[in-house]
Structure formats: structure tokens, C-alpha cells
Amino acid sequence: MYIFVNSFCKQALQDHVEEHSGLPAAAAEERDRLRSQWRPQQAYYRFVVLFFNCLLTFGSYFCFDIPSVLQDQFQGNLTCPNATVINGTVDCVEGLGMSPQQYNLLYAIYAWTNAVVVIIAGFLIDKLGNRFGVFLFSFLCVLGSSLFALGSHFKGTPYLLPLMLTGRLLFGSGNGSLTIVQNRITAFWFKGKELALAFGLTLAFSRLGSVLNFFLTQKFEDKYGMQWTLWGGAILCVLGFISAIIVSALDKVGMRQLGLDGAIQEESRKVRIQDVKLLSLRYWLLVLTIMFFYNGIFPFIADASKFIQDKYSGYSQKEAAYIAGAVYDSSLVLSASVGILIDYVGLRGIFALTCAVLTLPVFGLLAFTFVPPLVSTIWLGVTYSFAAASMWPSIPLVVPQATLGTAMGLATSIQMVGIGVSNLVVGQILGTKSSETKIPLWRWQRMMIFMLANTISCIVTSVLLNIVDHRQGGTLNKTTKRSGQGERDSDREPLTQGEEEQNDDEDDGAVRSRSINS
């Protein structure tokens, strides 16, 4: 149909050119060919949008885990007047003087801020559009990372912790919400096409920032110091702000040429906060599955470098950071290929369950054995890649396009509530005394048992998700062509239970017709 319309339009344009402008038809056709290369219908237009969309969170993900790499410096002593060198290792690390509880609070406040802000942010994005969100939240990332870096200049004063916590609060407000805009743009341009691949590439770019953080931050800190390292992270967030300007322009031009700008704004005006209570049971089970899975990822990575040094002998801080970063290394390498696989195979619900089951042995190995930690972190990275490519792209399949921002905001909020609680629990488990240079092994074991409990909860919710999805048509577990069809129809997912039951008795054409009319 598209080829027929395109050919008809080309012929009409040629006739118009010959009749009115005197321009040869061949020249007009060449001009049209060059112009059409950058039309939104073309595949690589949306991939150009995707490229700059991916860069939105590159710098912010680099900044997020800087404390994890420099945990010894954050928790190090303010001064080391009597430091001695034993076997080439200094027995005293000079740093900011934080306790383990204060250190974990840096991650907890990020998560708690996300939990509150992203709900409001998601609704505002649905109401005011992607361009509003992308500018506001990328700016908050720059402001928050800058304030966090500024706090390091107040070492040894009462202002250090409040400044750094405020910076993390603003940074969390921006980064979590920016991810929602990023996912919303990705879902719009790739729905019914390479959706899981696009989500996988977005994750890969974000994790590239995390990977480079684990590889470069320690070396940079050794050479230039803590303060310049934190300011370097803030500069990378500026890259995200520049990308926000570019992707906003591309998104605006693309939607205008597609003739969808006005229609989407009209739909956005209809979005109400009350629509939240009409979201399906599948959505809520999917959100809980995401929360419990991520509860075992981010709190572990936050303390992984310290854990490796305390439990396993012979690892320097730099080596421990590399091993902890293997979670992101695996994700970086696998995300795109895993996305292609899931786009082709489908079975998102089955993949989510399988990832949760296969994550169980990871924390078992870390808690009760002395198997080299690299095995566990690579293993965790593999399951994380499959989980991220199967869980998050499933949300657009079970909610309408008009409320996708709100749905993503709620999902991120609940995820961050879980991570925030987990960070606080881990901080309590590991103790609060900064004088403990080495945390006892039994404390680390309790932490891993806590991670195991979250993974078991993830298995339970993913089983329930698959059962409910099967009873409601099996949207998440459709395969190949059926999966693609489900993605194309997902932006018309009914909000009311009555509509959903009625849709089960109709064919796909009726579903599209009825939903468009609504």
C-alpha cells in the first residue's frame, strides 16, 4: 500500500513540476529521492533519532556509579598521618570520611527521589510532551551532578553530606525521569518494528557509560583526584543536554511530517491521573517483577567492589572495580543481540521467568562459596541483559500509547522504592562504623541472602504474570509474526476491563477499528 501511494505521489509531483515549473521530471525525481532519505518513514531516520536518544543517558549512567568505583575514597579517612605501606599497599585510604550507612544513603536518596518524582514526571510527559521532559530532566542531571561534585570541596565540614545528598536528589529527579522520556521516544518510533532491539541498544549505550566508569574512573582519580573526577562526570552530563536538543528537534520534525503531532497532543489532553487505576493486572505484575529483579542488581553493584576486596584475597581496588563492572560489560556486549533475538522469538514473559530462575545461583555462589567472583558478575550480567530486553519493552504492549509516560513513571517509581529500601537494608546489614576497614564475612553473607530473597520474589511474580497473560490472550508470549502484530496493536490496548474482555472475542481488525474510534 505504501509503495502504491508513494508511486502515485511521485507521478503526480512529476506532472505538477513539468506543468508549472518547467523543471525536468528526472531532476525533480532526483531531488525527491534525496529529500526522502531523511523522511521519518525511512528506517535510518528513526535510527538517527535512536542514536541521539541513546546519548541522553550516557553521561548520567557514568555518574551514577562513580561512588561504587571510589567507595574506598568515599569511606576513607579524612587524613592519614601515620599511613604505612605493607606489600605495596597503603593501609590507610584518604577520602571523604563517610560511614557505610552514609555511603549507602547516597544511593538510597537517589532511589527514593526517583520513586516520588517519576510518577509526576511520567504524567507531565504524557500531558506536555517529550520535548518538555527531555529539556527539563537533562538539565536536572547537569545541575545535580554539578552540586554533587561541588560537595566534595567541603571535605571535613558539616556541609559535605547535605550538599552531596542534595546533588544526588536533583540528579535522581532528572535521570530517572529522563529514562522515561527516552523509553517513550523509543516506543513511539519503534513500535511494531525493532522494539526490543531499540530498547537493547538504548540499554547498551547507557551501560557503556557504566562500563567506562568502572574502567576509567579509578585511573582518573589516581591522577587528578576526587574533585576533578566528579566534575568530569558532570561534564559528561552536559553531553546528554546537547543530545536532548538534537533529539527534540528530530522528534518534532518527524512527528510533524508524519502528521501525528496534533493527534498526539489531542490524545495527551485526554490523559487523566485517574487512568492509573484502570491499568491492567498484567501491568502491575510486570512492574513487581521488574522491581524484585532490580532489587538484586543495583544494591549489589553499589557494594560489589568492597565485597570482593573483603571476601576474596589478592584483589586490589582497581581489580575489584573491574570485576564488579563485568555486570555492565556483559550487558553492553549482549544487549543489542538479545534485543534482536527477543524481537524475533517473542516469549517475553517466559524470558522474564527464566532470567529470575537463572539469577538464583549467582547470589548462592557469592554467599556460600569462594568461586572466583568474575564468574558470578558475568553470569549476573547475562541474566540482566535478557531481563532488561524482555521486561521493559513489555510495558508498551500492555498499556495505551497515550498513558505510556505515566505507566513508565509508575514502573520506575515502584522499582526505585524497592531499590531504595534495599539500599537502606544493605546499609543496616553491613554496619555503620567507618572504623571497620574490613566488613565481617558474615555480614556480607546476610546481604547475599537478602538478594536471594528478592530473586525468589521475582520468580513468584513472573510465574503469576505468565498465568494472567495466558488467560488474557498471551500478548507477552506471542511468537515471531504474532509478536510483531501484538506490538503494532499495543498502543490501542483498552483501558477498561470491559473493553479488554470484549476484545478477546474479536479479530485483530476489529480490535484496531474499535480502539481507533475510542
Side-chain angles (χ1 to χ4, degrees):
M1 180 65 181
Y2 171 79
I3 295 174
F4 171 77
V5 173
N6 190 43
S7 300
F8 177 82
C9 292
K10 276 189 175 182
Q11 185 60 50
L13 182 59
Q14 287 176 353
D15 295 340
H16 175 81
V17 167
E18 291 177 334
E19 182 177 350
H20 296 282
S21 68
L23 186 66
E29 185 173 350
E30 176 64 16
R31 179 196 61 190
D32 293 341
R33 185 186 66 82
L34 293 173
R35 284 181 176 177
S36 67
Q37 289 178 354
W38 287 97
R39 286 176 180 168
Q41 295 94 333
Q42 300 298 320
Y44 47 83
Y45 185 93
R46 64 175 178 269
F47 276 99
V48 171
V49 174
L50 179 64
F51 173 74
F52 289 103
N53 195 38
C54 289
L55 288 179
L56 287 176
T57 53
F58 172 81
S60 58
Y61 270 72
F62 187 102
C63 282
F64 173 74
D65 268 324
I66 285 179
S68 177
V69 177
L70 302 180
Q71 185 173 2
D72 283 355
Q73 283 77 10
F74 274 81
Q75 296 180 205
N77 297 315
L78 293 174
T79 58
C80 293
N82 301 316
T84 58
V85 179
I86 303 174
N87 296 327
T89 304
V90 180
D91 67 346
C92 177
V93 177
E94 187 172 344
L96 300 180
M98 291 184 179
S99 68
Q101 191 174 37
Q102 290 173 332
Y103 167 80
N104 278 281
L105 190 58
L106 294 176
Y107 282 91
I109 196 169
Y110 174 94
W112 284 109
T113 303
N114 263 302
V116 175
V117 172
V118 293
I119 299 177
I120 303 170
F123 180 73
L124 287 176
I125 293 165
D126 280 336
K127 293 292 287 185
L128 302 177
N130 295 335
R131 292 182 286 280
F132 164 81
V134 81
F135 279 116
L136 174 63
F137 302 127
S138 60
F139 174 73
L140 285 177
C141 286
V142 174
L143 182 61
S145 59
S146 299
L147 194 59
F148 186 72
L150 180 65
S152 66
H153 291 266
F154 292 87
K155 182 176 73 170
T157 71
Y159 304 107
L160 178 136
L161 189 61
L163 275 173
M164 298 193 91
L165 288 177
T166 303
R168 290 291 277 191
L169 185 148
L170 292 173
F171 180 72
S173 301
N175 195 35
S177 305
L178 189 60
T179 303
I180 296 172
V181 187
Q182 186 182 52
N183 290 339
R184 198 173 187 267
I185 293 172
T186 302
F188 173 80
W189 285 101
F190 286 88
K191 182 169 292 183
K193 302 177 182 73
E194 308 90 353
L195 184 61
L197 170 62
F199 269 87
L201 287 172
T202 303
L203 176 64
F205 263 81
S206 299
R207 289 311 167 209
L208 178 60
S210 302
V211 168
L212 291 178
N213 167 52
F214 278 95
F215 273 103
L216 301 178
T217 297
Q218 183 63 56
K219 295 178 182 178
F220 195 91
E221 196 277 336
D222 289 341
K223 188 172 183 179
Y224 298 104
M226 166 80 79
Q227 294 173 356
W228 276 110
T229 302
L230 297 181
W231 281 112
I235 291 171
L236 286 177
C237 287
V238 175
L239 172 65
F241 186 75
I242 295 171
S243 299
I245 297 173
I246 298 173
V247 77
S248 177
L250 290 171
D251 186 59
K252 180 178 182 179
V253 170
M255 286 201 299
R256 182 173 296 172
Q257 290 190 18
L258 289 171
L260 297 176
D261 201 14
I264 290 177
Q265 289 179 1
E266 181 65 26
E267 287 298 315
S268 296
R269 283 193 286 268
K270 297 177 182 177
V271 175
R272 302 171 302 167
I273 196 66
Q274 295 93 326
D275 291 341
V276 170
K277 63 184 180 182
L278 300 176
L279 292 170
S280 66
L281 178 59
R282 277 184 302 181
Y283 167 78
W284 294 111
L285 288 172
L286 180 59
V287 168
L288 289 176
T289 301
I290 291 171
M291 182 196 74
F292 284 122
F293 187 85
Y294 278 78
N295 282 359
I297 299 288
F298 291 150
F300 166 73
I301 293 175
D303 289 285
S305 180
K306 178 70 173 170
F307 164 72
I308 291 168
Q309 291 178 84
D310 286 355
K311 179 172 180 178
Y312 304 93
S313 59
Y315 290 100
S316 67
Q317 182 184 6
K318 186 183 299 184
E319 291 169 339
Y322 287 165
I323 293 172
V327 176
Y328 294 148
D329 296 342
S330 304
S331 175
L332 173 65
V333 172
L334 293 175
S335 290
S337 56
V338 168
I340 293 172
L341 174 65
I342 293 177
D343 274 328
Y344 181 76
V345 175
L347 301 176
R348 289 169 170 83
I350 300 298
F351 272 112
L353 174 59
T354 304
C355 290
V357 172
L358 293 179
T359 302
L360 271 178
V362 174
F363 296 116
L365 289 174
L366 292 169
F368 304 112
T369 74
F370 283 87
V371 172
L374 185 60
V375 174
S376 298
T377 53
I378 291 177
W379 189 339
L380 187 61
V382 172
T383 60
Y384 172 51
S385 300
F386 276 89
S390 59
M391 294 178 186
W392 285 105
S394 296
I395 293 179
L397 303 183
V398 297
V399 299
Q401 174 69 30
T403 57
L404 182 57
T406 303
M408 285 286 189
L410 274 171
T412 306
S413 173
I414 294 171
Q415 175 200 17
M416 289 303 169
V417 167
I419 292 174
V421 171
S422 295
N423 279 314
L424 291 178
V425 171
V426 168
Q428 290 294 325
I429 291 173
L430 297 181
T432 59
K433 296 181 180 179
S434 60
S435 59
E436 293 180 326
T437 56
K438 187 173 182 179
I439 297 175
L441 188 58
W442 64 268
R443 288 185 179 272
W444 288 117
Q445 194 173 65
R446 286 187 178 181
M447 171 186 162
M448 295 305 161
I449 292 173
F450 175 70
M451 300 296 156
L452 275 170
N454 277 287
T455 306
I456 292 171
S457 300
C458 181
I459 293 173
V460 172
T461 55
S462 58
V463 168
L464 293 174
L465 172 64
N466 279 277
I467 293 173
V468 172
D469 180 66
H470 177 71
R471 291 177 177 176
Q472 296 183 358
T475 301
L476 298 181
N477 286 318
K478 288 179 179 177
T479 58
T480 55
K481 292 182 179 179
R482 292 178 63 225
S483 179
Q485 182 64 46
E487 287 177 6
R488 285 189 292 271
D489 294 341
S490 61
D491 61 330
R492 308 172 189 93
E493 183 81 0
L495 272 178
T496 64
Q497 183 65 29
E499 285 181 315
E500 190 166 302
E501 292 172 354
Q502 187 180 5
N503 286 349
D504 291 339
D505 299 328
E506 302 289 343
D507 57 30
D508 292 340
V511 171
R512 287 193 295 271
S513 176
R514 181 169 57 255
S515 301
I516 291 171
N517 292 334
S518 66

Short mmCIF file of all heavy atoms in Angstrom, two decimals, residues 410-445:
data_model
loop_
_atom_site.label_atom_id
_atom_site.label_comp_id
_atom_site.label_asym_id
_atom_site.label_seq_id
_atom_site.Cartn_x
_atom_site.Cartn_y
_atom_site.Cartn_z
N LEU A 410 5.26 5.19 36.77
CA LEU A 410 4.86 4.33 37.89
C LEU A 410 5.80 3.14 38.04
O LEU A 410 6.20 2.78 39.16
CB LEU A 410 3.43 3.84 37.69
CG LEU A 410 2.31 4.76 38.17
CD1 LEU A 410 0.97 4.23 37.70
CD2 LEU A 410 2.34 4.86 39.69
N ALA A 411 6.14 2.53 36.91
CA ALA A 411 7.04 1.38 36.95
C ALA A 411 8.40 1.77 37.53
O ALA A 411 8.96 1.06 38.39
CB ALA A 411 7.21 0.79 35.55
N THR A 412 8.93 2.90 37.06
CA THR A 412 10.21 3.36 37.58
C THR A 412 10.11 3.73 39.05
O THR A 412 11.03 3.46 39.83
CB THR A 412 10.69 4.58 36.77
OG1 THR A 412 10.71 4.25 35.38
CG2 THR A 412 12.08 5.01 37.19
N SER A 413 8.98 4.33 39.43
CA SER A 413 8.79 4.72 40.83
C SER A 413 8.80 3.50 41.75
O SER A 413 9.51 3.47 42.76
CB SER A 413 7.46 5.46 40.98
OG SER A 413 7.18 5.70 42.34
N ILE A 414 8.03 2.49 41.38
CA ILE A 414 7.97 1.28 42.21
C ILE A 414 9.31 0.58 42.22
O ILE A 414 9.76 0.06 43.26
CB ILE A 414 6.85 0.36 41.71
CG1 ILE A 414 5.49 1.04 41.92
CG2 ILE A 414 6.88 -0.99 42.42
CD1 ILE A 414 4.33 0.32 41.27
N GLN A 415 9.98 0.57 41.07
CA GLN A 415 11.33 -0.02 41.02
C GLN A 415 12.26 0.71 41.98
O GLN A 415 13.02 0.07 42.73
CB GLN A 415 11.88 0.09 39.60
CG GLN A 415 13.32 -0.39 39.46
CD GLN A 415 14.00 0.15 38.21
OE1 GLN A 415 13.53 1.12 37.61
NE2 GLN A 415 15.09 -0.45 37.82
N MET A 416 12.22 2.03 41.99
CA MET A 416 13.12 2.80 42.84
C MET A 416 12.74 2.73 44.31
O MET A 416 13.62 2.82 45.18
CB MET A 416 13.13 4.27 42.37
CG MET A 416 13.85 4.45 41.05
SD MET A 416 15.56 3.84 41.12
CE MET A 416 16.00 3.88 39.39
N VAL A 417 11.46 2.56 44.62
CA VAL A 417 11.08 2.32 46.01
C VAL A 417 11.75 1.04 46.51
O VAL A 417 12.34 1.00 47.60
CB VAL A 417 9.55 2.20 46.15
CG1 VAL A 417 9.17 1.64 47.51
CG2 VAL A 417 8.90 3.56 45.97
N GLY A 418 11.67 -0.01 45.69
CA GLY A 418 12.31 -1.27 46.07
C GLY A 418 13.81 -1.13 46.21
O GLY A 418 14.40 -1.63 47.20
N ILE A 419 14.46 -0.45 45.26
CA ILE A 419 15.91 -0.29 45.33
C ILE A 419 16.29 0.57 46.53
O ILE A 419 17.28 0.30 47.22
CB ILE A 419 16.44 0.33 44.02
CG1 ILE A 419 16.27 -0.66 42.87
CG2 ILE A 419 17.90 0.73 44.15
CD1 ILE A 419 16.62 -0.10 41.51
N GLY A 420 15.50 1.63 46.80
CA GLY A 420 15.79 2.48 47.95
C GLY A 420 15.70 1.73 49.26
O GLY A 420 16.58 1.85 50.12
N VAL A 421 14.65 0.93 49.40
CA VAL A 421 14.51 0.12 50.62
C VAL A 421 15.67 -0.87 50.71
O VAL A 421 16.27 -1.07 51.78
CB VAL A 421 13.16 -0.63 50.61
CG1 VAL A 421 13.11 -1.65 51.74
CG2 VAL A 421 12.01 0.35 50.75
N SER A 422 16.02 -1.47 49.58
CA SER A 422 17.12 -2.45 49.57
C SER A 422 18.44 -1.81 49.96
O SER A 422 19.22 -2.40 50.72
CB SER A 422 17.25 -3.09 48.18
OG SER A 422 16.10 -3.84 47.87
N ASN A 423 18.70 -0.60 49.48
CA ASN A 423 19.95 0.09 49.85
C ASN A 423 19.99 0.39 51.35
O ASN A 423 21.05 0.26 51.98
CB ASN A 423 20.09 1.39 49.06
CG ASN A 423 20.64 1.17 47.67
OD1 ASN A 423 21.61 0.44 47.48
ND2 ASN A 423 20.03 1.77 46.67
N LEU A 424 18.85 0.78 51.91
CA LEU A 424 18.82 1.03 53.34
C LEU A 424 19.02 -0.25 54.14
O LEU A 424 19.75 -0.27 55.15
CB LEU A 424 17.48 1.69 53.73
CG LEU A 424 17.26 3.12 53.22
CD1 LEU A 424 15.88 3.61 53.63
CD2 LEU A 424 18.33 4.06 53.78
N VAL A 425 18.38 -1.32 53.69
CA VAL A 425 18.55 -2.61 54.37
C VAL A 425 20.00 -3.07 54.30
O VAL A 425 20.58 -3.52 55.29
CB VAL A 425 17.61 -3.68 53.75
CG1 VAL A 425 17.94 -5.06 54.30
CG2 VAL A 425 16.15 -3.33 54.04
N VAL A 426 20.61 -2.95 53.11
CA VAL A 426 22.01 -3.35 52.95
C VAL A 426 22.90 -2.50 53.85
O VAL A 426 23.85 -3.01 54.48
CB VAL A 426 22.43 -3.22 51.47
CG1 VAL A 426 23.95 -3.33 51.33
CG2 VAL A 426 21.74 -4.28 50.63
N GLY A 427 22.63 -1.19 53.94
CA GLY A 427 23.41 -0.33 54.82
C GLY A 427 23.34 -0.77 56.27
O GLY A 427 24.33 -0.75 57.00
N GLN A 428 22.14 -1.19 56.71
CA GLN A 428 21.98 -1.67 58.07
C GLN A 428 22.70 -3.01 58.28
O GLN A 428 23.31 -3.25 59.33
CB GLN A 428 20.49 -1.82 58.41
CG GLN A 428 19.74 -0.52 58.53
CD GLN A 428 20.20 0.32 59.72
OE1 GLN A 428 20.56 -0.21 60.77
NE2 GLN A 428 20.22 1.63 59.55
N ILE A 429 22.61 -3.89 57.29
CA ILE A 429 23.25 -5.20 57.40
C ILE A 429 24.77 -5.06 57.50
O ILE A 429 25.43 -5.74 58.30
CB ILE A 429 22.89 -6.08 56.19
CG1 ILE A 429 21.41 -6.47 56.25
CG2 ILE A 429 23.75 -7.35 56.15
CD1 ILE A 429 20.91 -7.21 55.02
N LEU A 430 25.34 -4.15 56.72
CA LEU A 430 26.79 -4.03 56.68
C LEU A 430 27.36 -3.22 57.83
O LEU A 430 28.58 -3.19 58.02
CB LEU A 430 27.23 -3.40 55.34
CG LEU A 430 26.90 -4.19 54.09
CD1 LEU A 430 27.40 -3.48 52.85
CD2 LEU A 430 27.49 -5.60 54.16
N GLY A 431 26.53 -2.54 58.61
CA GLY A 431 27.03 -1.81 59.77
C GLY A 431 27.22 -0.34 59.49
O GLY A 431 27.11 0.13 58.36
N THR A 432 27.53 0.42 60.56
CA THR A 432 27.60 1.88 60.44
C THR A 432 28.93 2.46 60.90
O THR A 432 29.09 3.66 60.93
CB THR A 432 26.48 2.51 61.30
OG1 THR A 432 26.65 2.11 62.66
CG2 THR A 432 25.11 2.09 60.81
N LYS A 433 29.89 1.65 61.29
CA LYS A 433 31.15 2.17 61.82
C LYS A 433 32.20 2.28 60.72
O LYS A 433 32.63 1.29 60.15
CB LYS A 433 31.68 1.25 62.93
CG LYS A 433 30.77 1.20 64.16
CD LYS A 433 31.35 0.30 65.22
CE LYS A 433 30.45 0.24 66.45
NZ LYS A 433 31.02 -0.66 67.48
N SER A 434 32.64 3.52 60.48
CA SER A 434 33.65 3.73 59.45
C SER A 434 35.01 3.19 59.85
O SER A 434 35.88 3.02 59.02
CB SER A 434 33.77 5.22 59.12
OG SER A 434 34.15 5.95 60.28
N SER A 435 35.19 2.91 61.14
CA SER A 435 36.49 2.40 61.59
C SER A 435 36.71 0.96 61.16
O SER A 435 37.83 0.46 61.22
CB SER A 435 36.58 2.49 63.12
OG SER A 435 35.53 1.74 63.72
N GLU A 436 35.64 0.26 60.74
CA GLU A 436 35.79 -1.12 60.28
C GLU A 436 36.37 -1.11 58.86
O GLU A 436 35.67 -0.93 57.88
CB GLU A 436 34.44 -1.84 60.29
CG GLU A 436 33.89 -2.05 61.68
CD GLU A 436 32.56 -2.78 61.64
OE1 GLU A 436 31.79 -2.55 60.69
OE2 GLU A 436 32.30 -3.59 62.55
N THR A 437 37.70 -1.31 58.77
CA THR A 437 38.33 -1.30 57.45
C THR A 437 37.90 -2.51 56.64
O THR A 437 37.89 -2.47 55.42
CB THR A 437 39.86 -1.29 57.59
OG1 THR A 437 40.26 -2.42 58.37
CG2 THR A 437 40.32 -0.01 58.28
N LYS A 438 37.56 -3.60 57.32
CA LYS A 438 37.12 -4.80 56.63
C LYS A 438 35.82 -5.28 57.26
O LYS A 438 35.78 -5.63 58.44
CB LYS A 438 38.19 -5.89 56.70
CG LYS A 438 37.87 -7.12 55.86
CD LYS A 438 39.03 -8.10 55.83
CE LYS A 438 38.73 -9.29 54.95
NZ LYS A 438 39.86 -10.25 54.89
N ILE A 439 34.76 -5.30 56.46
CA ILE A 439 33.45 -5.72 56.98
C ILE A 439 33.45 -7.23 57.16
O ILE A 439 33.88 -7.97 56.28
CB ILE A 439 32.33 -5.28 56.01
CG1 ILE A 439 32.29 -3.76 55.92
CG2 ILE A 439 30.97 -5.81 56.45
CD1 ILE A 439 31.31 -3.21 54.89
N PRO A 440 32.97 -7.73 58.31
CA PRO A 440 32.99 -9.18 58.57
C PRO A 440 32.25 -9.96 57.49
O PRO A 440 31.24 -9.51 56.92
CB PRO A 440 32.27 -9.30 59.92
CG PRO A 440 32.44 -7.96 60.56
CD PRO A 440 32.44 -6.97 59.44
N LEU A 441 32.73 -11.18 57.23
CA LEU A 441 32.18 -12.01 56.16
C LEU A 441 30.72 -12.38 56.42
O LEU A 441 29.93 -12.47 55.48
CB LEU A 441 33.03 -13.27 56.02
CG LEU A 441 32.72 -14.17 54.81
CD1 LEU A 441 32.86 -13.39 53.52
CD2 LEU A 441 33.64 -15.39 54.81
N TRP A 442 30.38 -12.57 57.69
CA TRP A 442 29.01 -12.96 57.99
C TRP A 442 28.01 -11.86 57.61
O TRP A 442 26.87 -12.13 57.24
CB TRP A 442 28.84 -13.35 59.46
CG TRP A 442 29.06 -12.24 60.45
CD1 TRP A 442 30.23 -11.90 61.08
CD2 TRP A 442 28.08 -11.31 60.95
NE1 TRP A 442 30.05 -10.83 61.91
CE2 TRP A 442 28.75 -10.46 61.87
CE3 TRP A 442 26.72 -11.13 60.70
CZ2 TRP A 442 28.08 -9.44 62.55
CZ3 TRP A 442 26.05 -10.11 61.37
CH2 TRP A 442 26.74 -9.28 62.29
N ARG A 443 28.44 -10.61 57.67
CA ARG A 443 27.56 -9.52 57.24
C ARG A 443 27.33 -9.57 55.73
O ARG A 443 26.21 -9.39 55.25
CB ARG A 443 28.17 -8.17 57.63
CG ARG A 443 28.13 -7.87 59.13
CD ARG A 443 28.64 -6.47 59.40
NE ARG A 443 28.59 -6.13 60.82
CZ ARG A 443 27.55 -5.60 61.44
NH1 ARG A 443 26.44 -5.35 60.75
NH2 ARG A 443 27.58 -5.31 62.73
N TRP A 444 28.40 -9.82 54.97
CA TRP A 444 28.25 -9.95 53.52
C TRP A 444 27.35 -11.13 53.17
O TRP A 444 26.56 -11.06 52.22
CB TRP A 444 29.62 -10.14 52.87
CG TRP A 444 30.48 -8.92 52.85
CD1 TRP A 444 31.69 -8.74 53.48
CD2 TRP A 444 30.22 -7.69 52.16
NE1 TRP A 444 32.18 -7.48 53.23
CE2 TRP A 444 31.30 -6.82 52.41
CE3 TRP A 444 29.17 -7.24 51.36
CZ2 TRP A 444 31.36 -5.53 51.89
CZ3 TRP A 444 29.23 -5.95 50.84
CH2 TRP A 444 30.32 -5.11 51.11
N GLN A 445 27.44 -12.20 53.93
CA GLN A 445 26.61 -13.37 53.66
C GLN A 445 25.14 -13.05 53.87
O GLN A 445 24.28 -13.46 53.08
CB GLN A 445 27.05 -14.53 54.56
CG GLN A 445 26.49 -15.87 54.16
CD GLN A 445 27.09 -17.00 54.98
OE1 GLN A 445 26.89 -17.07 56.19
NE2 GLN A 445 27.85 -17.86 54.34
#
